[in-house]
Amino acid sequence: MGVLRTALLMGIFLWVSLLANGLNLWPMPASVGYGSGILYLSNNFQLRTEGSKYSDDSRILSDAFLRMVDLVRVAHVIDGIVPSSGVLDGLHVRIFSEDDKLNFGTDESYKLSIPASGKETYAQIEAQTVYGALHALETFSQLCYFNFTSKIIELHSAPWKIIDQPRFPYRGLMIDTSRHYLPLAAIKKVIDTMSYVKLNVLHWHIVDEDSFPLEMPSYPNLWNGAYSYSERYTTADALEIVLYAQRRGINVLAEIDVPGHARSWGLGYPSLWPSFDCREPLDVSNEFTFQVLDGILSDFSKVFKFKFVHLGGDEVNTSCWTATPHIKNWLKKKGLNESDAYRYFVLRAQKIASSHGYEFINWEETFNDFGKQLNPKTVVHNWLGRGVAEKVVDAGLRCIVSNQDKWYLDHLDSTWESFYLNEPLENISKPEQQKLVLGGEVCMWGETVDASDIEQTIWPRAAAAAERLWTPTWKLATDPKLVAPRLAHFRCLLNKRGVAAAPLFAPGRGTPPFTGSCIQQ
Ligand SMILES: *[C@@H]1O[C@H](CO)[C@@H](O)[C@H](O)[C@H]1NC(C)=O
Ligand SMILES: *[C@@H]1O[C@H](CO)[C@@H](O)[C@H](O)[C@H]1NC(C)=O
Ligand SMILES: *[C@@H]1O[C@H](CO)[C@@H](O)[C@H](O)[C@H]1NC(C)=O
Ligand SMILES: *[C@@H]1O[C@H](CO)[C@@H](O)[C@H](O)[C@H]1NC(C)=O
């Protein structure tokens, strides 16, 4: 009984403190000022864009606005009567750039001002690009509450003045459609939720040794490596994912993981295997291997317009090369040992990617094994451990941080706290070296996720990392307990929006540990 009462009291305390404190934003903006007024959202909430250079012919802004209004209203029936004063009639959005191309480095900053009650009736958003404005819409949506007495949407703590921009330009989430196929609808829901936490890169680990689900017009047998007839993506499906993501401010980084993670390629073209008995890595001695690579990257360049492509390069076990007579002879003729051949493969793949207009990202083994010979434009993707970014930027190369001990979502025992605390710039203090850390990425390897459980495995832990990547360092909590109520509130908001985000007190994708309020789980 005593325990129950304590839990109940704690619940009431949390409830009151959350209501009193309007700052339930996730991720926390760079600068937030607010007052104590209350505004009521008009039933006919409007978007205005006078003063914008941006035309919105593509309807990126107006569609995002409609989605935002739906999200604000999704949890309850809004059937109360809006008072005649203190009403917020809409948002006035001014965007200063006409350009709606999204890529690495696109300006994502915004200003959001919400008036005190009784003054102007429109909130103001200013942004350089439409993508900054989308972030402002998301922030705005998180300020809105349903009032159970009046049964309308209210906005507390007005006036608001929020000035915001991301800490890192690269804020990624990786999905893996080789270990399990993910239907388009599942990928789109992941993208939607990424936009709620202001992540901006969907790293699509499309193919691997297990399956090859994507149509490649240049080499039409490659998707014979799919698990089944229906577990595949057409080129048009891939383009749909890219456009869907782009309209939400999210870039798609496509990956082919060569030469080590490519066994499935040989189901369509067996000569890519060293031999039938030894199927991985791709046959380095065969010119056809590089023709296929060229075909794939040519096909990619028509669909994936992000500045970077990911060329993998991790976990290359070269024993099939030395164990296969024709490759062994080729190595001998070329005067290469197996590690030279690995380097030769990676550097040649990079050249092919360049020829299709891409800059490239490789997993960290390429740096660990032959960093000095790596093209200096290479972005090194850390995963094995901590302290790698430090070495990479010391060598003058760019880095993305995904150390597996903290930022691998498939590690089900990693808690949201460890996602929150992982600091990409740890031990990197020189400003010019800090700039070389483009950001970080949480990775959802697909061995134990498919459409049935991917959401609760990703969320809310990826949201914890998203704040680390968005919010200025001085605003990040050194003790995660301080942000737990705010993250719990956000997790419940995700649930209200139809996202199956798991409880905070269950590492990985656990179930609620006990009965009680969402914000205590
Ligand atoms: C809801 O609205 C009522 C009536 O307008 C007001 O008295 C009350 O304070 C509001 N409740 C909250 C939690 O804001
Ligand atoms: C490398 O591959 C060979 C042959 O497939 C296998 O026997 C060996 O165990 C692998 N080595 C490692 C370190 O995985
Ligand atoms: C491969 O050859 C290079 C010289 O080309 C040498 O530096 C390296 O140690 C050799 N690696 C192995 C694993 O034998
Ligand atoms: C940073 O440096 C400290 C002291 O040398 C070390 O203990 C820690 O592991 C380093 N952190 C990373 C991420 O390498």
Side-chain angles (χ1 to χ4, degrees):
M1 215 41 206
V3 174
L4 193 69
R5 215 169 55 216
T6 312
L8 212 69
L9 281 174
M10 217 174 84
I12 289 168
F13 168 74
L14 262 172
W15 189 67
V16 170
S17 66
L18 285 169
L19 279 176
N21 174 3
L23 270 188
N24 274 321
L25 294 169
W26 197 280
M28 186 57 80
S31 158
V32 182
Y34 58 96
S36 57
I38 298 184
L39 293 169
Y40 311 101
L41 214 68
S42 163
N43 281 333
N44 184 26
F45 199 65
Q46 297 283 321
L47 171 67
R48 273 200 200 157
T49 56
E50 299 91 61
S52 282
K53 273 193 140 182
Y54 170 73
S55 65
D56 204 35
D57 292 338
S58 56
R59 296 192 53 86
I60 293 176
L61 179 66
S62 41
D63 286 355
F65 177 82
L66 295 175
R67 286 196 305 271
M68 186 277 287
V69 172
D70 282 350
L71 281 180
V72 164
R73 295 167 175 263
V74 72
H76 299 284
V77 174
I78 317 291
D79 62 354
I81 296 178
V82 178
S84 52
S85 66
V87 179
L88 196 62
D89 288 324
L91 290 172
H92 186 170
V93 180
R94 286 192 198 81
I95 296 169
F96 302 121
S97 168
E98 305 165 48
D99 187 3
D100 69 357
K101 279 194 203 66
L102 177 69
N103 216 315
F104 179 73
T106 290
D107 190 310
E108 297 175 275
S109 65
Y110 68 89
K111 287 184 195 158
L112 167 64
S113 323
I114 302 172
S117 59
K119 293 200 186 155
E120 320 94 83
T121 60
Y122 271 69
Q124 310 287 328
I125 289 172
E126 290 185 358
Q128 281 307 312
T129 71
V130 65
Y131 303 104
L134 299 193
H135 291 315
L137 293 179
E138 175 56 37
T139 301
F140 178 85
S141 74
Q142 293 186 19
L143 296 174
C144 296
Y145 292 86
F146 179 73
N147 181 312
F148 282 84
T149 309
S150 59
K151 304 190 173 63
I152 59 173
I153 303 289
E154 297 184 348
L155 219 141
H156 290 210
S157 310
W160 288 89
K161 181 106 193 149
I162 295 178
I163 302 173
D164 202 8
Q165 63 180 55
R167 179 176 171 217
F168 289 105
Y170 185 107
R171 306 179 305 282
L173 165 66
M174 196 208 74
I175 55 166
D176 168 8
T177 56
S178 177
R179 273 52 181 260
H180 282 100
Y181 179 79
L182 294 170
L184 251 58
I187 297 178
K188 286 179 174 177
K189 272 197 91 183
V190 170
I191 292 170
D192 288 340
T193 315
M194 287 174 71
S195 75
Y196 305 158
V197 299
K198 301 185 170 77
L199 290 173
N200 71 348
V201 180
L202 177 73
H203 171 185
W204 188 2
H205 187 86
I206 308 171
V207 305
D208 204 291
E209 49 203 21
D210 307 87
S211 76
F212 196 119
L214 179 59
E215 177 180 29
M216 285 290 132
S218 299
Y219 289 91
N221 293 347
L222 280 169
W223 68 350
N224 295 1
Y227 281 130
S228 73
Y229 181 77
S230 61
E231 287 166 288
R232 296 194 284 184
Y233 307 101
T234 66
T235 305
D237 292 340
L239 193 58
E240 166 71 12
I241 293 294
V242 170
L243 295 179
Y244 187 91
Q246 184 235 326
R247 297 178 72 78
R248 286 153 183 80
I250 294 166
N251 294 284
V252 176
L253 169 70
E255 177 179 359
I256 40 169
D257 195 348
V258 293
H261 282 261
R263 194 178 59 233
S264 65
W265 300 30
L267 290 166
Y269 298 95
S271 68
L272 294 169
W273 290 328
S275 73
F276 266 83
D277 308 322
C278 220
R279 299 186 166 188
E280 212 170 53
L282 294 168
D283 186 346
V284 62
S285 72
N286 188 349
E287 278 306 298
F288 179 64
T289 301
F290 296 96
Q291 286 164 22
V292 171
L293 214 52
D294 186 57
I296 290 174
L297 289 168
S298 163
D299 291 345
F300 270 18
S301 68
K302 292 168 193 127
V303 175
F304 301 109
K305 303 291 185 187
F306 193 39
K307 166 176 172 169
F308 298 105
V309 71
H310 202 304
L311 297 174
D314 59 316
E315 296 183 310
V316 180
N317 174 348
T318 51
S319 66
C320 276
W321 288 349
T322 42
T324 307
H326 80 266
I327 302 181
K328 202 173 164 188
N329 289 339
W330 179 87
L331 290 172
K332 209 161 156 199
K333 210 174 81 201
K334 289 263 179 186
L336 302 175
N337 62 26
E338 60 267 39
S339 39
D340 298 332
Y342 166 42
R343 184 181 68 233
Y344 161 82
F345 195 112
V346 168
L347 297 183
R348 194 163 168 193
Q350 290 188 342
K351 282 210 185 82
I352 297 171
S354 274
S355 77
H356 294 290
Y358 282 121
E359 290 188 32
F360 29 79
I361 303 175
N362 278 104
W363 294 109
E364 70 169 83
E365 286 94 323
T366 56
F367 174 79
N368 301 342
D369 286 23
F370 51 89
K372 288 216 167 61
Q373 285 113 316
L374 218 44
N375 183 319
K377 287 178 79 179
T378 309
V379 176
V380 177
H381 195 166
N382 152 247
W383 73 278
L384 284 166
R386 289 151 67 77
V388 176
E390 202 183 327
K391 296 193 188 105
V392 171
V393 299
D394 221 27
L397 301 182
R398 294 173 293 176
C399 189
I400 294 166
V401 172
S402 290
N403 46 311
Q404 60 173 345
D405 57 329
K406 304 287 169 161
W407 273 359
Y408 265 28
L409 292 157
D410 52 307
H411 290 203
L412 297 179
D413 53 352
S414 286
T415 60
W416 72 264
E417 288 93 335
S418 77
F419 276 78
Y420 186 86
L421 289 174
N422 195 40
E423 172 48 50
L425 296 186
E426 189 171 326
N427 296 346
I428 302 172
S429 53
K430 293 186 190 135
E432 69 274 17
Q433 292 195 344
Q434 292 185 339
K435 279 203 197 80
L436 295 173
V437 178
L438 305 184
E441 177 179 299
V442 291
C443 299
M444 182 67 276
W445 294 103
E447 281 82 356
T448 70
V449 290
D450 63 12
S452 71
D453 61 353
I454 189 166
E455 280 195 310
Q456 58 268 50
T457 317
I458 293 177
W459 315 110
R461 294 181 302 161
E467 176 154 296
R468 171 70 48 181
L469 292 165
W470 178 275
T471 303
T473 336
W474 65 273
K475 282 203 148 185
L476 293 165
T478 46
D479 181 353
K481 273 198 208 77
L482 298 171
V483 298
R486 186 163 52 86
L487 183 59
H489 173 92
F490 182 71
R491 201 276 291 195
C492 302
L493 179 69
L494 291 182
N495 287 176
K496 286 182 201 166
R497 291 179 175 189
V499 180
L504 264 56
F505 294 114
R509 50 177 169 238
T511 49
F514 37 73
T515 57
S517 162
C518 173
I519 51 177
Q520 290 178 274
Q521 313 268 309

